[in-house]
C-alpha cells in the first residue's frame, strides 16, 4: 500500500499546474516549530512579485498548534528573512524563510536565528565559513526504512556507502529530485552520496558564510520534506533510527575562518580545537534540540562516531569528535570537521556556538 | 528436429511457467498503473517516475553535477557520489581531486580512512543530461600509493610501454538480471524455466526477460560516447550480453567500467538487480564470462596469423598467471564457471582452436580463413577487472614477460 500522497495522480496535478495564474504570486512562509526540529509552512497570495525582502509582509499563525503558545494567546508572528524561487510552483512564486516572534516581540524559544545572526555580525571580520553534511533516512509509511524487507533487515553494512544498483540503494529518485530543486533555488548544495546504512543518504550545503549556513540548510530540509512527500516517502532526521549494527545520522559541520584558510592556518585550526576541547559539554547541549539526549543514542564511539562523553581530535580520524582532513594536514591550512552535531540539530545553534567558542572566546 | 525440440520446450515451459503466465494474462492495457506497480516491484520502481521527471525539468543554472565513480575494495563493486561544480569543466584538469571514506568501501581503517579520487576520464551523464558529467576515477591511499584494487595505474604503464603494438580489445560482457529475491528476473518463483535452447538471441515474452533495461542501457552508452558495439540475449534466460570495442589500450578498461556503472544505474531505475557473478545458477545453466577479443597491428595485417599463433604459444605458457588475473579472487570465482561444459574450457587446461567454443582461446573461423585478424580469450570471468585482463594479455604477448 503506497502512501496516499503517491496515489494522487500526478498527471492530473500537472494539468492544473499548467494553468496560468496571472500577475498574482504565491509566497510560502516557512518557519521552525516549537520542537526545534519540525518545519511548518503556509501560503499567501501577493498582488505582485516582490522585488526585495522588505516587500514581504509580516504575517502570523496559530502558535498553540505548533507547540509554541497557549490557545488563549496564540498569535505568533512571522518575520520574513530570506526569499528563494519556489521549485514546486515555479514561475514567480516564492519560498520565504521566516523567524518566529511571540506576541511580546521576543523571539520564540526555538527561534535560534536571532542570536545566531548577532554572533555572526560580531564575528564577521573572521569570515566564518561552514559546510554541513546533512545525513537522513528514508522511511516507508510504516516507519520501517524504505526498501528494507518488511519484518526484516537487509544484509549487513558494507556494500551501501556510495553504492549503485537496485539491491544496494533505495530512493535515489528522491535524492535526484531534491538536488535539482536546490540547484534551482540557488541553495549552495555541494554534493550528495548514498550513506553506510541502506535507505540513508547525505547532501552537503556549503561553503557558506555566517547566517547563510542556517538559512540554506533549513530551506534545503524543507525542500527534502516536500519532495519526499510528493513521492510518498517519509524523511527522518532522527540521529539513530535503527538500533543495532546500523549507522546513525549526523550533521557534520565543517568550519574555517579566514586565518585558517590561509597559508600557515594550521596553528589557528589547532588553537580552535584547543578551545573546543574545553567546551565539549556546552557544545553537546547545542548539537541537538534536546540538549544532548538525542545524540546520546548516536555518539557511542562505534559506527564512525566519537563517544558523547569524551572530546578527541585527529587527522583523517572518523572516530574522533573533530577530524582534520588529511589534505588540510598535508598543506598546513584549510578547515576542521566537527563530527558531533546530530542530524536533527538546529544549524543556527551549531554555527553560533562554534563561532562563539573559537572566535569570540566565550 | 530443432522445431520439435522447441515445441517440447514450450510444453515443458508451460508447465514450469504456469504461475508466470497466469499473472501475465490478467494484465491488460486498462490495468491501472497502481496495480501494476504493486505487482512485486522493488522499492525504486515504487517511486513515481513522472514525479521525478517533473523535478528533473527544473533548470539548474550554470552549476554542473559531476558524478565521481570508483572501484571499491572488492575489486568488482562500483561506488559513486556527486559534487557540484560552479561551471562545466572544459578538460580533465578542471576536475578537482576529491576523497571519500575508504573504511566504508573495504579499503581503509576508520582511524585513517581518507582515500583519494583522481579523475581520469569524463563522460556526459545520461541520467542528468545537460552539461552534467560522469567522472571515472583512480583511487589512491593516504600515502599516495594506488589502492589495492586500483589496477588502472599499472595497466596504463603497460599500455604505454606496448603502444607501438597498437593493442586493440573488444570485451563481451555477459550478465544476469535478478529479481529482488535473488532469483533470476522473469523466472517463475520457486521454480525454473524450460531448459536452455530457445533463449539465445531470442524474441518473445516467453523467451527473453528484461529487454527494456538492455535497450535503455544501449542508448545511454551511445549517448555517453562509450564504444558499445552490440547486444544480444544469452543462452540462459534473463542473461544478456553487451560488447564494448574495438578500443585501444587503456580505453578498454575505462569504457567497460563506465558501461558497467551505467548498467547498474539503469537496472536500479527499473528496480532490477544486475549480477556479474560468473555462475549465478547451479545446474544445467550457462555461466557468464567476459570474453576478451585481442589483436595487435601485426595480427590485423595480411599474414598476421603467425603473430596470432605466436601469441597463443605465449599464452599457453602462462595459463596459471592469467587465470589469477581473470577474476577478482585469483581464480576462485572462475572455478565455478570454467568446468569444460556449457561452452567453457576447463580451468585446469589451456587449449585453443578455430571456431571452438570449448577452448580457452578461440580463433574465429573467418580469421583462420583470411589468415589475419584477432583471437578471442574466453577465460575471463564476467566479474573480472578489465584493467587486469588487458594488462596481462599485453604483458604476455607483447612485452614477453
Amino acid at each position: 500500500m503506497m502512501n496516499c500522497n503517491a496515489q494522487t495522480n500526478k498527471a492530473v496535478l500537472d494539468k492544473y499546474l499548467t494553468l496560468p495564474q496571472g500577475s498574482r504570486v504565491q509566497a510560502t512562509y516557512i518557519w521552525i516549530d516549537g520542537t526545534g526540529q519540525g518545519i511548518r509552512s503556509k501560503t499567501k497570495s501577493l498582488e505582485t512579485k516582490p522585488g526585495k525582502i522588505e516587500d514581504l509582509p509580516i504575517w502570523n499563525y496559530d502558535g498553540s498548534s505548533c507547540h509554541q503558545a497557549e490557545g488563549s494567546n496564540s498569535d505568533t508572528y512571522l518575520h520574513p528573512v530570506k526569499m528563494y524561487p519556489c521549485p514546486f510552483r515555479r514561475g514567480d512564486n516564492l519560498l520565504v524563510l521566516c523567524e518566529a516572534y511571540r506576541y511580546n516581540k521576543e523571539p520564540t524559544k526555538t527561534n535560534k536565528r536571532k542570536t545566531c545572526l548577532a554572533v555572526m555580525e560580531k564575528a564577521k571580520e573572521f569570515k566564518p565559513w561552514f559546510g554541513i553534511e546533512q545525513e537522513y533516512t528514508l522511511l516507508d509509511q510504516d516507519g520501517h526504512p524504505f526498501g528494507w524487507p518488511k519484518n526484516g533487515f537487509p544484509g549487513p553494512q558494507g556494500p551501501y556507502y556510495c553504492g549503485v544498483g537496485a539491491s544496494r540503494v533505495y530512493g535515489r529518485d528522491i535524492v535526484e529530485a531534491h538536488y535539482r530543486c536546490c540547484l534551482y533555488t540557488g541553495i549552495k548544495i555541494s554534493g550528495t552520496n548514498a550513506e553506510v546504512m541502506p535507505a540513508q543518504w547525505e547532501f552537503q550545503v556549503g561553503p557558506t558564510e555566517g547566517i547563510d549556513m542556517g538559512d540554506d540548510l533549513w530551506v534545503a530540509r524543507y525542500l527534502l520534506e516536500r519532495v519526499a512527500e510528493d513521492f510518498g516517502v517519509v524523511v527522518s532526521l532522527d540521529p539513530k533510527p535503527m538500533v543495532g549494527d546500523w549507522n546513525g545520522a549526523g550533521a557534520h559541520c565543517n568550519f574555517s575562518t579566514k586565518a585558517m584558510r590561509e597559508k600557515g592556518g594550521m596553528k589557528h585550526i589547532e588553537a580552535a580545537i584547543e578551545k573546543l576541547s574545553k567546551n565539549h559539554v556546552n557544545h553537546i547541549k547545542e548539537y541537538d534540540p534536546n540538549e544532548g539526549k538525542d545524540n546520546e543514542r548516536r555518539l557511542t564511539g562505534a559506527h564512525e562516531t566519537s563517544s558523547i562523553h569524551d572530546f578527541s581530535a585527529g587527522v583523517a580520524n572518523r572516530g574522533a569528535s573533530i577530524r582534520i582532513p588529511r589534505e588540510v594536514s598535508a598543506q598546513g591550512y584549510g578547515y576542521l570537521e566537527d563530527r558531533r552535531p546530530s542530524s536533527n540539530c538546529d544549524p543556527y545553534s551549531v554555527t553560533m556556538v562554534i563561532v562563539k567558542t573559537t572566535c569570540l572566546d566565550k
Side-chain angles (χ1 to χ4, degrees), chain A:
Chain A
M1 265 298 288
M2 292 161 81
N3 179 280
C4 62
N5 296 300
Q7 286 177 25
T8 42
N9 190 314
K10 305 296 173 174
V12 171
L13 174 63
D14 283 347
K15 186 166 28 105
Y16 290 109
L17 287 180
T18 57
L19 284 169
Q21 61 184 93
S23 52
R24 284 188 291 169
V25 153
Q26 294 159 293
T28 304
Y29 280 52
I30 297 165
W31 70 96
I32 298 156
D33 72 17
T35 65
Q37 51 187 310
I39 309 175
R40 311 277 181 141
S41 70
K42 56 174 181 164
T43 302
K44 169 190 271 293
S45 295
L46 304 173
E47 287 308 307
T48 54
K49 179 181 185 180
K52 49 197 193 307
I53 197 81
E54 293 75 18
D55 295 342
L56 290 159
I58 289 175
W59 203 11
N60 63 74
Y61 65 97
D62 174 10
S64 69
S65 292
C66 296
H67 312 294
Q68 282 172 307
E70 294 302 313
S72 54
N73 189 0
S74 68
D75 284 357
T76 311
Y77 293 87
L78 291 171
H79 290 228
V81 298
K82 208 164 272 180
M83 261 195 314
Y84 299 78
C86 177
F88 308 106
R89 299 180 176 124
R90 303 201 206 187
D92 289 335
N93 300 307
L94 301 166
L95 301 178
V96 181
L97 180 65
C98 302
E99 278 189 40
Y101 283 83
R102 286 154 56 198
Y103 68 97
N104 60 3
K105 316 285 167 94
E106 290 294 308
T108 58
K109 189 153 166 287
T110 52
N111 173 2
K112 307 295 188 185
R113 188 184 191 273
K114 186 170 199 273
T115 41
C116 180
L117 184 59
V119 163
M120 295 300 172
E121 275 295 302
K122 242 177 149 170
K124 71 179 177 198
E125 84 242 12
F126 290 89
K127 292 198 165 302
W129 284 11
F130 304 93
I132 291 183
E133 304 165 38
Q134 175 72 66
E135 294 180 328
Y136 61 93
T137 313
L138 296 175
L139 305 179
D140 208 345
Q141 54 175 349
D142 59 4
H144 207 47
F146 186 63
W148 287 34
K150 294 303 168 194
N151 297 320
F153 300 87
Q157 295 183 152
Y160 312 114
Y161 170 75
C162 299
V164 62
S167 57
R168 297 181 203 101
V169 296
Y170 307 134
R172 191 189 295 276
D173 286 353
I174 295 159
V175 179
E176 288 299 299
H178 174 253
Y179 204 150
R180 185 54 65 90
C181 282
C182 289
L183 291 174
Y184 176 88
T185 55
I187 284 167
K188 273 206 101 172
I189 183 163
S190 46
T192 56
N193 61 272
E195 268 298 333
V196 177
M197 185 177 93
Q200 191 181 57
W201 293 86
E202 173 183 309
F203 65 90
Q204 308 97 28
V205 177
T208 52
E209 191 167 323
I211 199 66
D212 291 344
M213 182 71 255
D215 291 348
D216 274 14
L217 191 68
W218 274 113
V219 178
R221 285 174 174 181
Y222 178 76
L223 295 178
L224 182 63
E225 286 275 12
R226 286 287 304 271
V227 169
E229 179 198 301
D230 209 356
F231 281 98
V233 176
V234 174
V235 176
S236 170
L237 290 191
D238 188 82
K240 194 73 175 180
M242 295 304 288
V243 171
D245 196 10
W246 304 104
N247 272 30
H252 305 157
C253 186
N254 297 282
F255 168 67
S256 65
T257 56
K258 186 166 179 294
M260 292 180 196
R261 295 190 289 273
E262 287 168 348
K263 270 194 87 135
M266 191 53 113
K267 63 178 189 285
H268 296 280
I269 294 174
E270 284 163 354
I273 292 175
E274 182 65 27
K275 291 177 184 170
L276 290 168
S277 72
K278 297 188 164 77
N279 286 274
H280 180 65
V281 173
N282 57 295
H283 275 240
I284 286 292
K285 280 209 171 122
E286 302 286 354
Y287 283 178
D288 73 39
N290 289 299
E291 304 202 327
K293 284 222 77 58
D294 295 336
N295 239 345
E296 240 173 56
R297 294 181 283 123
R298 166 188 161 249
L299 292 177
T300 59
H303 299 111
E304 294 165 282
T305 67
S306 51
S307 164
I308 198 169
H309 302 297
D310 311 311
F311 180 91
S312 56
V315 176
N317 185 348
R318 282 178 160 80
S321 315
I322 308 286
R323 165 178 158 266
I324 300 164
R326 186 163 289 288
E327 69 274 13
V328 168
S329 169
Q331 67 200 11
Y333 60 90
Y335 63 98
L336 59 86
E337 179 194 13
D338 190 337
R339 294 174 64 81
R340 298 170 292 175
S342 168
S343 43
N344 65 346
C345 71
D346 184 327
Y348 296 127
S349 299
V350 171
T351 53
M352 177 175 78
V353 73
I354 287 175
V355 167
K356 272 175 92 165
T357 299
T358 61
C359 302
L360 303 180
D361 277 316
K362 300 235 195 88

